[in-house]
Amino acid sequence: MPIMEHIYELRKRVLISAAAVLIMTIFGFMWYQYSLGPIQSLGSILTGPYCSLPESARASFNATDECRLLATGPFEQFMLRLKVALTAGAVLSCPVWLYQLWAFIVPGLHQKERRFGRIFTTLAALLFVAGAVIAYIVVSQALDFLLTVGDDVQVTALSGSEYFNFVIYLILIFGVSFEIPLLVAMLNVVGVLSYEQLAKARRGIIVAIFGFAAVMSPGSDPFSMLALAVAVCVLVEVATQFARINDKRRGKNKRDWDELDDDQASPITAEEAGTSGNAYQPSSVGSPAPIGTGADHYGTASLGVGGSAPLPPPSAAPGPYPNPGQSGPVNPGNYDDVL
């Protein structure tokens, strides 16, 4: 496919993905305030962990003690609603733009790569959703620790931007971190990482995961850090066991010459050569058939459409060479045409 057709194809895929995100963003903007039957509004779902805290741990700005966040600017409510709607639009439209991305990549893949690509794409979406769900559960525990650690002295009045930035960032960190085990499994499938390497580096990987969780967790609470680190460690261990099974299966199908250098010859057995016993067994050669003379030796000549006719005997053929079976000197005059 020419390069311009690739560019046109990419433009079409990007426009379809952008249209899907825009439509779902409009849907998320409306869902932010209004419920969908038994489903609560998006704003109520996101503020659920904060509103589940005891009243003594959060500030109240009305006489009915209704759970609400604080807005400190004239455009804060609108921009916050737009930000949440855009995030919801990107998440809800992920089946569309993931399919568009897959449809753009799949023509350049082999059949086996397409099969693995479908599996990894599906697992990536499921792992991201699982990470987002766990992050939403962790938010309530993290806020309970952060907002009640000194509630006898002060009351926290959270603004909407601070709270939603915390929740969205935590959800994204959990979702992206849950893709790390999938990346490890993909590197093992393509032959970059082996089970032996992962097993030797297991302790270092665990320490690195805990360090990553401590740095990337948005809150300074131990709950979000421990939840993220423990969950990723468990998933990485699952990926390590997958690498062990995959390497074991790959070793059964491994040939003897796969580890040889490019300039080293590989041994070939009799079965691989298609023979039994020695790799080379010359067949017996029979006695040669007698060579005829005259028309019997030279056969017939094709006359095209009309058929064929017997060739003339060698005696009638001009040239300096003697006839088969002729004895005696050769006429020197036969060589005049050579000069």
Side-chain angles (χ1 to χ4, degrees):
M1 182 181 293
I3 185 65
M4 293 304 299
E5 294 187 9
H6 280 288
I7 295 176
Y8 293 150
E9 179 74 13
L10 178 61
R11 183 184 65 178
K12 184 183 73 172
R13 302 294 181 185
V14 170
L15 290 177
I16 294 176
S17 301
V21 173
L22 179 60
I23 294 174
M24 298 311 297
T25 299
I26 297 174
F27 171 78
F29 191 84
M30 301 302 297
W31 184 27
Y32 179 86
Q33 186 175 1
Y34 303 100
S35 60
L36 303 176
I39 303 176
Q40 295 180 348
S41 63
L42 184 60
S44 300
I45 293 175
L46 293 178
T47 56
Y50 174 74
C51 294
S52 62
L53 297 175
E55 297 180 0
S56 59
R58 50 184 173 83
S60 177
F61 304 101
N62 49 62
T64 59
D65 292 335
E66 187 178 357
C67 178
R68 289 189 179 183
L69 296 171
L70 178 66
T72 58
F75 298 101
E76 183 176 352
Q77 296 190 37
F78 175 79
M79 296 304 298
L80 179 62
R81 183 173 180 177
L82 183 61
K83 180 189 296 186
V84 174
L86 183 60
T87 305
V91 174
L92 295 176
S93 63
C94 66
V96 178
W97 55 262
L98 280 177
Y99 172 77
Q100 297 300 323
L101 177 63
W102 176 252
F104 179 75
I105 297 175
V106 71
L109 301 178
H110 299 289
Q111 185 64 29
K112 185 177 180 181
E113 294 173 343
R114 295 180 184 180
R115 180 169 57 88
F116 281 117
R118 296 189 190 98
I119 295 175
F120 286 129
T121 303
T122 304
L123 290 178
L126 293 177
L127 287 174
F128 186 87
V129 172
V133 172
I134 294 178
Y136 183 80
I137 297 174
V138 170
V139 165
S140 60
Q141 301 296 328
L143 289 177
D144 183 65
F145 173 80
L146 293 173
L147 301 184
T148 60
V149 66
D151 56 349
D152 55 342
V153 177
Q154 60 183 0
V155 175
T156 304
L158 288 179
S159 64
S161 59
E162 292 176 349
Y163 174 76
F164 281 108
N165 288 337
F166 173 77
V167 173
I168 293 175
Y169 184 77
L170 190 65
I171 289 175
L172 291 178
I173 287 298
F174 269 75
V176 173
S177 300
F178 273 42
E179 306 296 332
I180 296 177
L182 185 61
L183 178 62
V184 173
M186 291 177 63
L187 292 177
N188 175 260
V189 170
V190 299
V192 176
L193 282 178
S194 63
Y195 169 73
E196 295 180 357
Q197 294 174 336
L198 293 172
K200 291 180 180 179
R202 181 179 279 113
R203 295 181 180 178
I205 292 174
I206 293 175
V207 174
I209 291 174
F210 272 86
F212 171 81
V215 173
M216 300 305 296
S217 296
S220 57
D221 62 292
F223 297 103
S224 59
M225 184 194 73
L226 289 177
L228 179 60
V230 171
V232 175
C233 284
V234 171
L235 292 176
V236 168
E237 183 61 28
V238 173
T240 303
Q241 297 304 317
F242 167 80
R244 180 179 66 84
I245 298 173
N246 187 47
D247 288 350
K248 185 177 181 181
R249 179 191 60 81
R250 186 182 299 169
K252 293 181 180 180
N253 301 329
K254 191 175 183 181
R255 296 170 295 187
D256 297 336
W257 59 82
D258 287 341
E259 300 296 334
L260 297 178
D261 297 333
D262 295 338
D263 56 351
Q264 185 177 358
S266 60
I268 300 179
T269 61
E271 291 78 5
E272 294 169 349
T275 59
S276 59
N278 296 329
Y280 174 72
Q281 291 182 351
S283 58
S284 58
V285 180
S287 57
I291 299 176
T293 59
D296 295 335
H297 172 67
Y298 285 87
T300 60
S302 175
L303 298 179
V305 180
S308 61
L311 290 173
S315 58
Y321 304 104
N323 297 330
Q326 177 182 350
S327 61
V330 179
N331 186 5
N334 294 334
Y335 293 93
D336 294 341
D337 57 349
V338 177
L339 300 175

